[in-house]
Amino acid sequence: MTKHRFQPVTAGSRSSRPAFTLIELLVVIAIIGVLVGLLLPAVQQAREAARRVACSNNMKQIGLALHNYAHANREYLPTGWVSEDHHGDEGRGWGWSTQLLPSIEQQVIYDDIDFSASIGSHGAATKTAVIGAFLCPSDTGSSSPIFAIGDEAGCDEESPDTSAGSNSYAMSNYVGMFGSMHMEHAHGGGGGHSGLEPDDGNGVFYANSRVPFRHITDGLSKTIAIGERDSRIGRSLWIGMVEGSCEAMSRVVGVGEHAFNSSDPHFEDFYSQHPAGMNAVFADGHVAFLSDSIGETVFRALSTRSGGETVSSDL
């Protein structure tokens, strides 16, 4: 048998391994940077798509809760908010969302509410109860949902939480549809359109409202019940109208007088962080994504329950 002797590797026979040059390294880094730049928008779009779906699922849950409530109450929708007669910004204030709590698995919070007393008389645990089904994940404000609400004294409707008082509340991203015109009592007219008193909205939610399905003659599938509002101007509330707060009534309902996602938004309008549109719950319970291109006239028609307008598009 032939024996092989170990042959030591000398310095001269060692195989050389060329390293990256600086130029090659910079090229690799540049390629990685381009790939990341191309990938990042796609990742962001995928994340927003997931957030939009989550928001839509929240609203579907609310739509089902609306119908559960109506079926248990002779086909009547919940009250927009409870107020004194002809004084929409005064009274106990409990909003439409509070009446849906048992149907969205929030029975404990519902049981803690004394509906015969005002919102303001309740403790912080009720006022600051954060309800995930009322928050849109696309709104950056939903990551810190408890806020100090603005006081009525020194109220600025362009920035309603600037004069924040000592009372804190949990926000909501979903407000009911008051109708196609602003609240006259709240704003004193103007804006180029006649206003409506707080207890005379032409939508499905207004002060002391109790709208039955049979009064939505425009069609349940053509009448918006609930829409989105992000926190770019101020925070909305699931709990209802808080007496003595800035823009108290507009915290629980919105108006369809102006196009949603307007470049010149008012606090009482609807707007969303979703690119190119917003989600809305219709009176039949279905949820649709409304495009920014829908047009103000069509949106205003969808805001009324019995205006007799013709809406030809499928929603």
Side-chain angles (χ1 to χ4, degrees), residues 22-38:
L22 179 59
I23 294 177
E24 291 172 329
L25 187 58
L26 291 175
V27 169
V28 170
I29 293 174
I31 292 172
I32 292 174
V34 170
L35 292 175
V36 170
L38 294 173

Side-chain angles (χ1 to χ4, degrees), residues 34-262:
V34 170
L35 292 175
V36 170
L38 294 173
L39 183 62
L40 189 57
V43 171
Q44 291 174 335
Q45 289 176 3
R47 288 178 176 175
E48 168 52 31
R51 290 191 291 264
R52 177 176 145 183
V53 169
C55 177
S56 176
N57 287 338
N58 286 344
M59 300 188 83
K60 286 178 182 176
Q61 187 176 357
I62 294 171
L64 288 172
L66 279 177
H67 278 255
N68 287 340
Y69 178 92
H71 293 331
N73 289 274
R74 297 181 299 155
E75 304 302 307
Y76 282 83
L77 290 170
T79 300
W81 73 95
V82 180
S83 72
E84 295 182 8
D85 290 342
H86 307 298
H87 294 280
D89 55 0
E90 298 176 5
R92 287 172 287 164
W94 300 106
W96 58 269
S97 297
T98 60
Q99 298 162 68
L100 304 183
L101 292 175
S103 295
I104 58 170
E105 300 183 343
Q106 298 294 340
Q107 187 70 46
V108 173
I109 298 175
Y110 182 83
D111 291 340
D112 285 340
I113 294 175
D114 178 4
F115 287 96
S116 66
S118 68
I119 291 175
S121 67
H122 283 63
T126 301
K127 297 174 182 176
T128 60
V130 177
I131 300 176
F134 294 147
L135 297 175
C136 174
S138 290
D139 181 20
T140 55
S142 65
S143 60
S144 53
I146 298 175
F147 71 105
I149 196 169
D151 281 337
E152 187 175 30
C155 176
D156 177 6
E157 66 180 37
E158 299 299 325
S159 185
D161 294 321
T162 300
S163 58
S166 58
N167 291 311
S168 294
Y169 288 86
M171 65 171 280
S172 172
N173 284 121
Y174 309 123
V175 292
M177 177 58 79
F178 175 79
S180 62
M181 293 178 275
H182 61 264
M183 285 180 274
E184 184 77 31
H185 179 76
H187 298 287
H193 301 282
S194 300
L196 299 170
E197 290 293 325
D199 57 357
D200 194 30
N202 59 5
V204 297
F205 292 116
Y206 48 92
N208 299 322
S209 64
R210 200 161 182 266
V211 175
F213 283 141
R214 67 178 181 274
H215 286 180
I216 306 177
T217 56
D218 284 349
L220 299 182
S221 65
K222 302 296 184 183
T223 302
I224 296 173
I226 299 160
E228 287 190 71
R229 181 188 289 154
D230 62 35
S231 55
R232 71 184 70 182
I233 295 178
R235 309 290 186 96
S236 303
L237 299 172
W238 66 263
I239 204 167
M241 185 279 301
V242 177
E243 185 175 345
S245 65
C246 181
E247 293 293 296
M249 297 179 289
S250 295
R251 304 277 183 173
V252 66
V253 293
V255 299
E257 183 175 25
H258 309 108
F260 58 90
N261 290 342
S262 168

